[in-house]
Amino acid sequence: MLTLFHHPICPHSRFVRLVLEEYGWTAKLVEERVWERRTEFLMLNPAGTTPVLVEEGALAVPGAGVIAEYLDEARGATVTERRLLPAEQGARVEVRRLMSWFNDKFFGEVSGPLVTERVYKRHMPAAAGGGAPDTETLRAAKSNIKYHLAYIGWLVRKRDWLAGDNLTYADLGDVPWDKDETAKSWYARIKSRPSFRGLLAEALPGLAPSKTYADLDF
Amino acid sequence: MLTLFHHPICPHSRFVRLVLEEYGWTAKLVEERVWERRTEFLMLNPAGTTPVLVEEGALAVPGAGVIAEYLDEARGATVTERRLLPAEQGARVEVRRLMSWFNDKFFGEVSGPLVTERVYKRHMPAAAGGGAPDTETLRAAKSNIKYHLAYIGWLVRKRDWLAGDNLTYADLGDVPWDKDETAKSWYARIKSRPSFRGLLAEALPGLAPSKTYADLDF
């Protein structure tokens, strides 16, 4: 049995949910409000961040990248024909490079600041850093989107999927690509996958469903 | 033949250099001033960051975490008795969790801002964001060090090495622990390893050798 401690708006949590959906593995979802810093959650992940995947009360696996590696090693052999981390050395480097691009770089420059400013800070008490969004941070994050879009557009002009010929972890970064012309056909294919349906339809308290990431004004 | 594009002060580059030293693998070092955004370097790593490890003009592997996974998969079998990523599932999760702690979290909250403000910005042209260090950013980074020290101190009270019974990737984060009482004995062992000698002795232009990370005033 898998349990995923997540937040509906956390890009790293959404990445892991897409991965689980792609593989057809069910996890019990537990919503974690990380800003509350629950002791039990900090014991699972001292970093205090979502997501954390727990295997049957035994092993706690924290963080998008660590979870991706863990799932591939622990369960990947059962899904050889649609494995999200390919076997060949060069392909593995490319998938990991792009996983890191979305989970570290894009998150640091765009999706992390947007989610913090627009959603988390609304729920956080002032003493923990809550309050109105910082407009300067929002402006920078929105501006950073442009070169990410340009880069993804460039990749998908050369490839069927972001890392090569097949769907991999690299395609499951939760990013709003619908506004980019060159990325459109790839994104349409990604969005049409059953794994994306649940997340795209989800309504978040205080946010219109499809607006969560879509109203980025870029 | 391995070539490592690095910067002497880049924490991620230093992590990879320590890993290579631990394994006894020689790499040709090429210093990369990432702020110059050399076209040839951007072709190796579109993210424009150090380190990048190149295998004999063939495969370019960018980023500390991706390099660590690559080296383990491509060459780990030759070093079974002192492998830096252990074989057992739970231990792998723990090593990866702590690798991410240093390379992502500590880097994001402490060492990245310190290096950017104190070193990189000194070399960067004003148009690229260069100039005087931002004192507010420096203050926040220095303040963040405290809870990292507390956490590492807590870990090494329970363990011989950060991730468990043996030296792993988790121990090779390039972090100044000498000022923390509880972390001292572990750090003394780490510093005494031959792999650390070169880095600790290195003089950087404009910075006193051991002061690079040591004068953090915490």
Side-chain angles (χ1 to χ4, degrees):
Chain A
M1 234 289 276
L2 293 170
T3 303
L4 183 69
F5 293 82
H6 81 120
H7 189 278
I9 196 70
C10 156
H12 293 161
S13 299
R14 293 166 71 92
F15 166 80
V16 174
R17 288 174 65 194
L18 291 172
V19 168
L20 293 172
E21 289 282 344
E22 276 296 328
Y23 278 143
W25 298 332
T26 310
K28 184 185 156 204
L29 294 180
V30 176
E31 186 173 324
E32 186 65 39
R33 300 159 73 92
V34 291
W35 55 90
E36 295 177 355
R37 297 188 63 76
R38 281 198 309 127
T39 307
E40 294 80 2
F41 182 68
L42 291 173
M43 285 169 69
L44 288 179
N45 183 14
T49 49
T50 48
V52 178
L53 186 71
V54 177
E55 275 272 19
E56 189 66 32
L59 191 63
V61 188
V66 183
I67 291 172
E69 297 290 346
Y70 169 76
L71 287 175
D72 188 72
E73 288 177 353
R75 296 166 162 245
T78 65
V79 289
T80 41
E81 79 289 352
R82 55 202 167 91
R83 201 158 177 171
L84 296 172
L85 188 60
E88 192 266 318
Q89 197 72 76
R92 291 172 80 82
V93 168
E94 184 63 354
V95 170
R96 286 181 174 131
R97 178 180 79 83
L98 289 167
M99 254 208 295
S100 170
W101 188 290
F102 293 119
N103 287 332
D104 303 329
K105 188 175 173 64
F106 187 83
F107 179 82
E109 298 173 0
V110 180
S111 60
L114 288 180
V115 162
T116 299
E117 295 301 325
R118 287 196 170 165
V119 184
Y120 288 177
K121 279 174 75 174
R122 195 186 295 178
H123 299 288
M124 291 158 72
D134 182 80
T135 50
E136 190 58 26
T137 305
L138 284 178
R139 199 194 52 75
K142 286 180 196 173
S143 158
N144 286 338
I145 288 174
K146 296 189 192 89
Y147 86 90
H148 286 279
L149 280 176
Y151 180 56
I152 299 307
W154 180 80
L155 279 181
V156 296
R157 275 196 295 277
K158 307 189 307 172
R159 301 170 172 183
D160 287 343
W161 299 96
L162 285 197
D165 294 336
N166 298 296
L167 178 85
T168 68
Y169 282 143
D171 296 286
L172 301 178
D174 181 44
V175 173
W177 300 119
D178 13 15
K179 300 216 180 171
D180 185 66
E181 281 307 315
T182 54
K184 228 173 210 168
S185 67
W186 161 78
Y187 190 63
R189 266 183 301 151
I190 279 286
K191 275 207 300 191
S192 69
R193 294 186 76 84
S195 70
F196 270 70
R197 254 176 240 153
L199 264 70
L200 288 170
E202 219 162 62
L204 292 168
L207 287 168
S210 65
K211 289 260 184 148
T212 309
Y213 275 46
D215 65 349
L216 299 173
D217 312 335
F218 58 87
Chain B
M1 232 292 272
L2 293 170
T3 302
L4 182 69
F5 292 82
H6 80 120
H7 190 276
I9 196 69
C10 157
H12 293 160
S13 299
R14 293 165 71 93
F15 166 80
V16 174
R17 289 174 64 193
L18 291 172
V19 168
L20 293 172
E21 289 282 345
E22 276 296 329
Y23 278 142
W25 298 332
T26 310
K28 186 186 154 203
L29 293 180
V30 177
E31 185 174 325
E32 186 65 38
R33 301 159 72 93
V34 292
W35 55 88
E36 294 177 355
R37 298 188 62 74
R38 279 198 311 127
T39 306
E40 294 80 3
F41 182 67
L42 292 174
M43 286 170 69
L44 288 179
N45 183 15
T49 49
T50 47
V52 178
L53 186 71
V54 177
E55 276 271 19
E56 188 67 32
L59 191 64
V61 188
V66 182
I67 291 171
E69 298 290 345
Y70 169 76
L71 286 176
D72 188 72
E73 288 178 352
R75 296 165 162 245
T78 64
V79 288
T80 41
E81 80 289 350
R82 56 202 167 92
R83 201 157 177 171
L84 296 172
L85 188 59
E88 193 267 319
Q89 197 72 77
R92 292 171 80 82
V93 168
E94 184 62 355
V95 170
R96 286 181 174 131
R97 178 180 81 83
L98 289 168
M99 251 207 295
S100 170
W101 187 293
F102 293 118
N103 287 333
D104 302 329
K105 187 174 175 64
F106 187 84
F107 179 81
E109 298 173 0
V110 180
S111 60
L114 287 181
V115 162
T116 299
E117 296 301 325
R118 288 197 171 164
V119 184
Y120 287 178
K121 279 174 75 172
R122 194 185 294 176
H123 299 288
M124 291 158 73
D134 182 80
T135 49
E136 190 59 26
T137 305
L138 283 178
R139 199 194 52 75
K142 285 180 197 172
S143 159
N144 287 338
I145 289 174
K146 296 188 191 90
Y147 85 90
H148 286 279
L149 280 177
Y151 180 57
I152 299 307
W154 180 81
L155 278 181
V156 295
R157 274 195 296 276
K158 307 189 307 172
R159 301 171 172 182
D160 287 343
W161 299 96
L162 285 197
D165 294 337
N166 298 294
L167 178 84
T168 68
Y169 281 143
D171 297 285
L172 301 179
D174 181 44
V175 171
W177 300 119
D178 14 14
K179 301 217 178 168
D180 185 66
E181 280 307 315
T182 55
K184 226 171 209 170
S185 68
W186 161 77
Y187 190 64
R189 267 184 299 150
I190 279 285
K191 276 207 299 191
S192 69
R193 294 186 75 84
S195 69
F196 270 70
R197 252 175 242 155
L199 263 70
L200 287 170
E202 220 161 63
L204 292 167
L207 288 167
S210 65
K211 288 259 184 151
T212 310
Y213 275 45
D215 65 347
L216 298 173
D217 311 335
F218 57 85

